[in-house]
Amino acid sequence: MKAVGITHYRDIDENDVFVDVDLPKPTPKCRDLLIAVKAVSVNPVDTKVRAGGGDKVENPPRVLGWDASGVVEALGAEVTLFKPGDEIYYAGDITRSGSNAEFQLVDERIVGHKPKSLSFAEAAALPLTTITAYEAFFDRLGIDRDGANTGETILIVGAGGGVGSIGVQLAKAAGLIVIGTASRVETSNWIKELGGDHIINHHADMVAQLQDLGMQYVDHIAIFNDMRHWEACVEMIRPQGGIVCIDDTDLPMPMDGMKLKAAALHWEFMFARAMHETPDMIEQHKLLSHVAVEIDAGPIRTTLDEIVGPITAANMQKAHALIETGSARGKVVLAGFD
């Protein structure tokens, strides 16, 4: 099968960051699906893994990629949720070979039925970010998916990015008042298109901007970028509220303010269920299938922003470079194989 791999862990501006390779087609076992990959999306996790492996040499080349859509080609002996020919979308498991290949093995419990109304490229933009935002809101912060928290406020830091773009929509579908952060006009407009109620600039005084909206506190905060805004977020969260974070803890996170407010800090890592084979792994199948129904019904839309081209080494390098600028709006996708 064709695949795009890495042999060395390189910076994005180096030569031969990715290589086009031929690898053996895998065979499904147990609860695995063999998936014919149709489209893939690139996320910050891809760029971090690609650049963070030190001097290690991969032989055979390592295949990255944790966001895809495709068609079920074959089944492991214990599969019960899918049949050959089913169109699916999924993020996969960071401990296994990735989606940047013509075929991939993925446990059925972390795969969802693809939204019928979306193309493969549109669907590939969604799984990783959808799982991240869904788990952040409904599993970690304890917000009710079906509207019991209607009217409460949520601040989404980085609302125009991949996770934020689907997060805005999920929060609105749950009845929340969404305050999104953005620093560029095009990103602000994007958030408004997705249903955001208010925009504040995360490069300015966010506390003062929140007060200008007539609010001292918000009920929930999702930090969908790094920890630069941690102290402002602690100041803005209501007493006994909750903050959920998804990025690395490479900046200071003073906890005094959280303690005095009895506020909760949650971590969201969407690979945790698959990595640790938790008893509730199948919840990712359920949530992806739920969101697919919501998309087909109309309230939620794809967050696809740009299709770079077919799945090749050259195009993969372009996509990684775009993600590393930090200015991508929505998701970057590659579709099909040359």
Side-chain angles (χ1 to χ4, degrees):
M1 65 176 183
K2 294 180 181 178
V4 174
I6 60 170
T7 56
H8 298 76
Y9 293 85
R10 294 186 165 120
D11 292 334
I12 197 59
D13 56 356
E14 296 184 47
N15 294 326
D16 299 323
V17 176
F18 295 98
V19 290
D20 293 307
V21 295
D22 288 312
L23 296 174
K25 183 177 177 180
T27 301
K29 299 178 180 178
C30 300
R31 300 195 71 171
D32 278 342
L33 307 175
L34 176 66
I35 298 166
V37 175
K38 301 299 182 183
V40 301
S41 179
V42 177
N43 294 282
V45 63
D46 298 70
T47 68
K48 291 175 182 178
V49 172
R50 188 214 72 240
D55 296 328
K56 184 178 180 182
V57 177
E58 298 286 359
N59 185 21
R62 181 180 180 184
V63 177
L64 308 182
W66 297 282
D67 235 358
S69 62
V71 177
V72 176
E73 171 124 335
L75 312 175
E78 299 174 19
V79 170
T80 62
L81 302 173
F82 298 91
K83 64 184 184 303
D86 283 349
E87 296 183 352
I88 47 81
Y89 74 144
Y90 60 95
D93 179 348
I94 200 168
T95 67
R96 304 182 71 178
S97 186
S99 55
N100 299 336
E102 284 188 288
F103 297 94
Q104 182 186 12
L105 297 179
V106 181
D107 190 297
E108 66 170 344
R109 290 169 290 181
I110 55 174
V111 174
H113 291 281
K114 180 181 80 64
K116 295 181 176 65
S117 59
L118 297 186
S119 67
F120 286 109
E122 290 169 330
L126 290 167
L128 184 146
T129 53
T130 295
I131 295 169
T132 299
Y134 188 105
E135 291 184 346
F137 296 164
F138 308 131
D139 293 343
R140 311 298 171 234
L141 291 175
I143 297 166
D144 181 65
R145 183 185 76 183
D146 299 317
N149 298 97
T150 293
E152 294 184 4
T153 52
I154 186 166
L155 172 67
I156 300 178
V157 182
V163 181
S165 293
I166 188 64
V168 168
Q169 299 180 78
L170 291 174
K172 287 301 296 180
L176 302 187
I177 298 168
V178 176
I179 305 150
T181 79
S183 60
R184 296 179 293 135
V185 172
E186 57 268 37
T187 314
S188 297
N189 291 338
W190 171 250
I191 295 168
K192 291 175 184 176
E193 286 177 27
L194 297 173
D197 297 290
H198 306 286
I199 309 294
I200 62 177
N201 187 338
H202 50 242
H203 288 167
D205 187 334
M206 292 201 296
V207 175
Q209 292 175 81
L210 186 69
Q211 292 171 350
D212 288 342
L213 294 174
M215 306 177 200
Q216 181 180 5
Y217 301 124
V218 291
D219 296 301
H220 316 279
I221 296 178
I223 304 178
F224 287 158
N225 57 16
D226 60 34
M227 294 298 113
R228 286 172 292 170
H229 311 293
W230 170 253
E231 293 187 53
C233 289
V234 172
E235 191 169 347
M236 289 184 288
I237 193 65
R238 69 164 166 80
Q240 301 186 96
I243 300 176
V244 63
C245 306
I246 67 171
D247 205 6
D248 298 332
T249 57
D250 53 357
L251 292 171
M253 295 176 65
M255 289 293 162
D256 290 355
M258 294 288 284
K259 177 184 176 183
L260 293 176
K261 288 184 174 179
L265 169 62
H266 305 270
W267 292 104
E268 165 55 21
F269 182 56
M270 58 78 50
F271 292 117
R273 278 173 160 145
M275 177 183 288
H276 301 289
E277 296 187 14
T278 61
D280 65 349
M281 265 181 71
I282 200 168
E283 291 303 315
Q284 291 195 347
H285 161 73
K286 293 178 181 177
L287 76 86
L288 286 172
S289 295
H290 168 79
V291 172
V293 171
E294 292 293 297
I295 290 170
D296 288 337
I300 298 173
R301 66 189 234 192
T302 182
T303 55
L304 169 65
D305 182 53
E306 181 177 349
I307 300 176
V308 176
I311 303 168
T312 66
N315 286 335
M316 192 63 66
Q317 185 165 357
K318 291 177 186 176
H320 275 236
L322 182 57
I323 294 298
E324 288 190 4
T325 67
S327 61
R329 188 191 77 165
K331 296 298 294 295
V332 178
V333 169
L334 294 82
F337 288 86
D338 276 347

